[in-house]
Amino acid sequence: MAPRRPNGAGAFPKAVETPAPVPPDPATLYAALDLGTNSCRMLIAQPKGSQFHVVDSFSKSVQLGTGLEGSGRLSRASMARTVQALRVCKGKLETHAVERMRLIATEACRRAENAREFIKMVRRETGLRLEIIQPEEEARLAVVSCAPLVSTKTEQLLVVDIGGGSTELVWIDLSMVPRPERPRAIMRLHAGFHSETGPFPAARVVDWISVPLGVATLKEQFDDVEDDHARFALMSWFFEENLAEFSPYAAEQTKDGFQIIGTSGTVTTVAATHLGLRRYDRTKVDGLRMTSGQIDEVIRKYLELGPEGRRADPRIGRDRHALIMSGAAILQALMRVWPTDRMSVADRGLREGLLYAQMSADGVLEEGPF
């Protein structure tokens, strides 16, 4: 007897094929917003080859974390300033009809007792959905953003992101990755620091740390020290003390094949001062390599200027003069601890990392040299 066929149809029904997901249009716009302890920054960009083209941007000092060190809460004034800035961001997103985006908040919102209340306030007032990310993802995004600056000769890489409320450090071993593949191996870390071994040579994260001290929080710790030079020395020493748990800290490393990449407003401001720029020029700063001697010389100039001189110096800027010495203290401590006399300057950070990660996950970036 012939096998029974369902539905009385004379044949088994054909399987219905599930359509493959349609990749995003390469012309799609992406947005990345980074709300930190001190600043609110946003980029809107379009994929272009293995990079992206910035269509619009926004940056404003909102000082969200002002007073957080003492009270444990975001103040009403700082929340109001931040919401005002986020309204501008909302307007830009609507103007460009951006649909693919990530809007993140970092250390200030991680620490504040009233962060949940603030996130709801932002949603109510602007319609934007902020996402508070954890320190590991913040460190990962900083690393990914710096991938184009990684030298093919680099075997040991330290990426440092000096923020307003925290500083992330990630030590990466690239020695097992073929030289031409090293920048791309860094890019692939967007999937996680401990992702499973795939078909490509892998960058190995030796260790990472998020130190809860950034330019704003470190400054607040020593606000009661009146002498400018003493305050700077204490901040640098205190930051170094907080690195003691970072495992490569005491590792014996040779200078050959070791690279530090620094990404932050502090690093780019020091670089611009070193270059003597009267107006900031990203093309001259991003990718610049500075020696420890050149960094020390700029910091000595800042100390000679004193608080009033730094406030009046156009190369430092009105938004950064109060925070430049705490950032410089972090920078000097880092250069004192590790075996290199050079630092690569990155004018890039979480926003760029967010864009790279989104575009890479969507498959709209071309594989190719950076």
Side-chain angles (χ1 to χ4, degrees):
M1 179 182 290
R4 181 184 176 88
R5 304 186 190 279
N7 305 324
F12 288 103
K14 292 182 179 179
V16 178
E17 293 184 3
T18 304
V22 179
D25 186 327
T28 297
L29 291 180
Y30 290 75
L33 185 146
D34 167 24
L35 176 60
T37 302
N38 193 53
S39 302
C40 175
R41 301 184 179 97
M42 185 178 72
L43 286 179
I44 298 174
Q46 184 178 34
K48 187 176 182 181
S50 61
Q51 299 279 321
F52 53 76
H53 168 69
V54 175
V55 174
D56 203 349
S57 64
F58 175 81
S59 181
K60 188 171 181 62
S61 173
V62 294
Q63 299 172 26
L64 178 61
T66 298
L68 177 61
E69 194 70 24
S71 69
R73 297 176 62 84
L74 303 174
S75 71
R76 288 185 179 181
S78 63
M79 289 193 292
R81 282 194 303 270
T82 303
V83 166
Q84 197 63 34
L86 289 170
R87 285 198 182 103
V88 177
C89 294
K90 173 68 171 180
K92 288 178 176 288
L93 292 169
E94 289 180 339
T95 297
H96 294 286
V98 180
E99 294 183 1
R100 305 185 78 80
M101 66 187 79
R102 276 196 77 191
L103 318 175
I104 65 166
T106 56
E107 185 68 12
C109 288
R110 284 197 294 263
R111 293 176 61 188
E113 296 171 7
N114 58 339
R116 190 181 298 273
E117 173 189 329
F118 171 64
I119 297 296
K120 289 180 179 177
M121 175 184 175
V122 169
R123 173 68 175 156
R124 184 174 64 250
E125 297 288 332
T126 70
L128 298 178
R129 293 180 181 272
L130 283 178
E131 171 190 358
I132 303 174
I133 64 168
Q134 295 306 305
E136 179 176 333
E137 184 170 9
E138 184 173 357
R140 197 165 71 232
L141 291 169
V143 167
V144 169
S145 75
C146 293
L149 300 182
V150 175
S151 168
T152 56
K153 296 178 181 179
T154 297
E155 297 201 343
Q156 301 293 324
L157 173 68
L158 177 64
V159 176
V160 180
D161 180 20
I162 306 172
S166 65
T167 298
E168 279 65 46
L169 299 95
V170 186
W171 190 293
I172 302 163
D173 183 352
L174 291 163
S175 60
M176 302 303 291
V177 181
R179 287 190 172 191
E181 288 291 319
R182 286 174 183 175
R184 281 191 289 274
I186 295 295
M187 179 69 78
R188 284 192 285 272
L189 290 173
H190 78 84
F193 282 163
H194 307 288
S195 55
E196 295 180 7
T197 304
F200 302 105
R204 184 174 70 89
V205 175
V206 177
D207 197 10
W208 71 275
I209 187 172
S210 180
V211 182
L213 293 169
V215 294
T217 46
L218 184 59
K219 174 184 175 294
E220 283 193 29
Q221 289 266 1
F222 294 92
D223 261 348
D224 59 340
V225 180
E226 293 185 8
D227 184 82
D228 198 39
H229 286 73
R231 183 169 57 249
F232 173 78
L234 286 168
M235 288 190 295
S236 187
W237 166 82
F238 186 67
F239 185 82
E240 184 176 335
E241 286 287 298
N242 278 267
L243 293 177
E245 298 302 314
F246 191 46
S247 69
Y249 175 84
E252 289 296 325
Q253 300 283 348
T254 60
K255 290 185 179 181
D256 295 337
F258 181 79
Q259 182 182 8
I260 293 183
I261 299 179
T263 170
S264 73
T266 294
V267 178
T268 56
T269 300
V270 167
T273 301
H274 164 66
L275 293 172
L277 301 180
R278 296 208 171 266
R279 290 193 64 183
Y280 186 80
D281 186 342
R282 184 183 189 274
T283 61
K284 293 180 179 178
V285 170
D286 189 47
L288 176 73
R289 298 192 73 190
M290 291 187 68
T291 67
S292 53
Q294 290 167 339
I295 292 170
D296 285 342
E297 184 181 348
V298 171
I299 293 173
R300 278 197 301 271
K301 286 180 181 176
Y302 288 164
L303 285 169
E304 288 169 5
L305 284 171
E308 293 302 319
R310 293 193 294 268
R311 185 178 290 110
D313 192 325
R315 296 168 299 178
I316 297 174
R318 292 176 61 188
D319 287 346
R320 191 158 295 279
H321 74 86
L323 302 171
I324 190 61
M325 294 317 297
S326 50
I330 293 172
L331 187 55
Q332 192 179 73
L334 295 170
M335 298 304 289
R336 187 167 60 237
V337 166
W338 278 289
T340 183
D341 58 1
R342 291 183 182 275
M343 171 178 280
S344 300
V345 177
D347 184 353
R348 51 189 70 216
L350 299 189
R351 295 175 302 167
E352 288 83 359
L354 283 164
L355 289 172
Y356 279 131
Q358 289 180 85
M359 293 175 185
S360 183
D362 282 354
V364 295
L365 290 179
E366 294 176 6
E367 278 287 329
F370 288 99

